[in-house]
């Protein structure tokens, strides 16, 4: 399945940069900064960044699609949460409206919704969300054979050699995360937020919903609380992170540590030649909840790197470290240093 | 972050401390109305939250700004630092950071990670405000200067010149500040290195102790 670029001047063999937008202003910023494709979501629980004040109305999406298409960029709509039993309508409407507003593709996680899109809006490309956690050629090919999936966003649990091997056994385009926040669990299966707040990214589109988060400054530093539980405390001057349970700091065996994962961001900027060599089609930047300044800086850095790679130049690590969570970055599972 | 940065804004604020906040109130009101007219989407995005009151503490200025948003409309009240108000959330940051958040040139999460921005109270309201501001495409200089009516053009030029001058002074003050704290910084770095060594040593001792405990013979 060959990707057809909207911009005919762009070779389809190049790495496609897929960039986040939480607001119409961020979409325009991403397009202007060089995004080949922008992904966004509607203002409801149908997308995994269902945060207050964020996301697009139907009219805003239409205007955003027009803006992007006029400049040769694509727009993808993330409908990547799992519908609740007996309440399928918001998800079905999201698929229908994304198609109606002229979006180029939808990112879907639920297998039932994938089938709905195939049957009711067959003209729109279907991308399989990272939330679907499809990580084997067999699983991916099953989705392609039965539901015409054109692309899969790979879970952030695979090494680059594994991705390369996977790409040898599937014609489905693969998209990998290259920058931004990391989830510790296999995507689509984490219930940590739900245990404490009753709401999860999978069902409600929110991990650690803001309505359950508190920050308290005291003589002992800045305490972050989720659902009334203190999950971390930052000393004065220490970089802070997101208030998610997986990045909480707890005492076990008399030792205070990050039990699951440290607040750290993924950054594969300098590994892009290896990513390209692994045969992936698209590079995804995380962060629809981040501001325009983040979008502009990260998109420019990665677009510069993709262009440099195409010209055969050596990649220069851009100064985007200040945008990372906790001021730290990692190559995650792509360059696995553990067993 | 409650300690203000050593900046021209801080020095200017100290000089302006004696001016009562009422003097700035008309300008604040005009600005709020201007934002309302030019950026209706900003308030529309906040409507689902219901009425909310935010106290914005510009840490390097002697005033507080009480922002009240309800039914798609917003008002601003300028207060003295010592005033109190019942609010849903308090946001604290230097003026430069707050301006950057308003015009989208600074990422709010990054400022929070580095602790240049802090808040307490209703997190949902703060996140919504941040997102709504970021999505509003605000050109703050344009919005401020446009409140001067026919003089908006010259007002913008003056504001740009002032900001440029502040930038230069800030750079000079950074050099001055670095020079003043250098001896202390050196001492602190030496102490930090010493603490690292001691921590490493403690770790080794703890490990040995555990080994002895688990294998007493």
């Amino acid at each position: 399945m060959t990707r057809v670029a909207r911009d005919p001047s762009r070779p389809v063999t190049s790495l496609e940069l897929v960039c986040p937008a939480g607001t119409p202003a961020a979409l325009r910023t991403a397009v202007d900064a060089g995004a080949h494709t922008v992904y966004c979501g509607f203002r409801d629980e149908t997308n995994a960044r269902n945060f207050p004040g964020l996301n697009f109305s139907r009219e805003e999406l239409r205007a955003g699609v027009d803006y992007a298409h006029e400049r040769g960029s694509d727009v993808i709509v993330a409908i990547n949460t799992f519908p609740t039993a007996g309440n399928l309508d918001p998800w079905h409407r999201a698929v229908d409206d994304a198609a109606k507003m002229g979006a180029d593709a939808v990112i879907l996680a639920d297998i039932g919704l994938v089938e709905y899109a195939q049957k009711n809006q067959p003209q729109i490309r279907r991308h399989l969300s990272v939330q679907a956690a499809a990580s084997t050629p067999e699983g991916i090919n099953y989705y392609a054979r039965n539901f015409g999936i054109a692309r899969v966003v790979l879970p952030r649990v695979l090494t680059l050699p594994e991705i390369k091997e996977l790409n040898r056994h599937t014609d489905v385009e693969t998209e990998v995360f290259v920058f931004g926040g990391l989830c510790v669990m296999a995507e689509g299966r984490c219930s940590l937020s739900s245990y404490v707040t009753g709401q999860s990214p999978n069902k409600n589109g929110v991990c650690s919903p803001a309505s359950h988060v508190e920050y308290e400054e005291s003589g002992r530093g800045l305490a972050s609380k989720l659902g009334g539980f203190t999950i971390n405390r930052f000393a004065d001057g220490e970089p802070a992170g997101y208030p998610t349970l997986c990045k909480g700091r707890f005492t076990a065996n008399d030792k205070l540590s990050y039990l699951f994962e440290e607040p750290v961001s993924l950054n594969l900027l300098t590994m892009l030649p290896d990513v390209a060599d692994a045969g992936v089609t698209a590079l995804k930047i995380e962060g629809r909840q981040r501001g325009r300044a983040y979008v502009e800086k990260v998109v420019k850095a990665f677009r510069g790197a993709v262009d440099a790679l195409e010209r055969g130049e050596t990649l220069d690590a851009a100064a985007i470290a200040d945008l990372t969570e906790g001021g730290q970055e990692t190559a995650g599972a792509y360059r696995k240093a553990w067993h | 972050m409650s300690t203000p940065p050593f900046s021209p804004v801080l020095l200017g604020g100290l000089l302006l401390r004696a001016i009562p906040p009422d003097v700035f109130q008309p300008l604040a009101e005009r600005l709020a109305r201007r934002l309302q007219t030019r950026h209706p989407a900003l308030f529309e995005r906040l409507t689902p939250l219901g009425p909310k009151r935010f106290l914005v503490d510009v840490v390097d200025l002697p005033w507080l700004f009480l922002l009240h948003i309800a039914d798609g409309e917003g008002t601003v009240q300028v207060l003295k630092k010592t005033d109190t108000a019942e609010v849903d959330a308090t946001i604290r940051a230097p003026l430069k950071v707050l301006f950057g958040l308003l015009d989208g040139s600074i990422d709010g999460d990054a400022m929070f990670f580095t602790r240049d921005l802090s808040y307490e109270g209703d997190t949902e309201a703060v996140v919504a405000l941040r997102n709504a501001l970021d999505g509003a495409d605000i050109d703050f200089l344009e919005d401020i200067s446009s409140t001067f009516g026919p003089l908006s053009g010259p007002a913008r030029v003056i504001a740009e010149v002032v900001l440029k001058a502040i930038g230069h002074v800030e750079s000079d003050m950074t050099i001055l500040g670095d020079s003043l704290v250098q001896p202390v910084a050196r001492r602190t770095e030496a102490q930090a290195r010493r603490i690292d060594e001691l921590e490493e040593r403690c770790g080794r001792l703890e490990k040995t102790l555990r080994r002895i405990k688990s294998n007493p013979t």
Side-chain angles (χ1 to χ4, degrees), chain A residues 23-24 28 43 52-55 60 210-211 213 215 222 234-235 238-240 242 289-294 324-325, chain B residues 1 44-45 103-107 109-110 112-113 115 118-120 123-124 127-128 130-135 137-138:
Chain A
T23 61
R28 294 190 291 273
R43 279 189 214 173
L54 209 66
N55 295 317
E60 285 172 342
S211 53
V213 174
Y215 283 97
L222 177 71
F234 304 97
E238 184 186 9
Y242 285 122
Q289 76 283 11
R290 303 291 294 263
R292 279 181 287 147
Y294 166 95
T324 57
E325 188 182 357
Chain B
M1 223 233 52
E44 186 252 322
R45 274 181 185 273
D103 68 13
S105 60
I106 282 180
D107 179 62
D109 284 13
F112 180 73
F113 294 152
R115 314 278 295 273
S118 69
Y119 73 89
E120 57 195 47
T123 301
E124 189 173 35
V127 170
R130 193 289 302 258
N131 289 335
L133 284 171
D134 196 78
D137 256 343
I138 291 173

Side-chain angles (χ1 to χ4, degrees), chain A residues 134-146 166 169-170 172:
Chain A
S135 57
T136 61
E138 291 77 12
I140 294 164
N141 290 337
Y142 177 84
Y143 274 103
R145 220 169 32 245
N146 292 284
L166 184 149
H169 295 96
T170 183
V172 177

Side-chain angles (χ1 to χ4, degrees), chain B residues 29-187:
Chain B
E29 282 170 14
R30 282 174 75 181
L31 190 57
R33 281 197 299 275
R34 181 64 54 172
L35 283 173
Q36 187 94 45
T37 318
R38 292 170 73 104
H39 308 286
L42 162 64
F43 297 92
E44 186 252 322
R45 274 181 185 273
L46 294 167
T47 304
L49 285 177
K52 293 289 173 193
R53 288 158 68 88
F54 301 91
L55 191 65
V56 182
D57 181 356
V58 188
V59 294
D60 42 5
L61 282 181
W63 310 292
L64 302 167
F65 298 87
L66 179 63
L67 180 64
H68 185 206
I69 293 170
D71 303 323
E73 293 187 1
T75 57
V76 182
Q77 196 183 343
V78 189
L79 303 171
K80 288 199 295 274
K81 215 66 160 186
T82 48
D83 288 341
T84 54
E86 203 168 298
V87 294
D88 295 288
T90 302
I91 300 163
R92 290 190 182 86
L95 186 68
K96 192 179 170 185
V97 170
L98 291 167
F99 267 163
L101 289 174
L102 278 173
D103 68 13
S105 60
I106 282 180
D107 179 62
D109 284 13
M111 288 298 102
F112 180 73
F113 294 152
T114 55
R115 314 278 295 273
D116 288 303
L117 176 146
S118 69
Y119 73 89
E120 57 195 47
D122 185 339
T123 301
E124 189 173 35
V126 173
V127 170
L129 180 65
R130 193 289 302 258
N131 289 335
L133 284 171
D134 196 78
D137 256 343
I138 291 173
D139 180 343
F140 204 59
L141 268 191
E142 183 62 32
D143 288 328
I144 290 182
S145 52
S146 68
T147 62
F148 288 88
L151 296 174
S152 60
R156 179 163 184 130
V157 173
I158 291 168
E160 280 171 355
V161 169
V162 170
L163 283 181
K164 210 170 170 183
I166 288 176
H168 288 312
V169 176
E170 189 174 20
S171 161
D172 293 344
M173 285 179 71
T174 305
I175 296 168
L176 186 65
D178 288 348
S179 166
L180 286 171
V181 300
Q182 201 181 39
V184 183
R186 272 197 201 135
R187 212 168 134 189

Side-chain angles (χ1 to χ4, degrees), chain A residues 226-239:
Chain A
L226 183 67
F229 298 99
T230 299
I231 60 168
N232 210 338
R233 183 172 272 117
F234 304 97
D236 280 344
E238 184 186 9

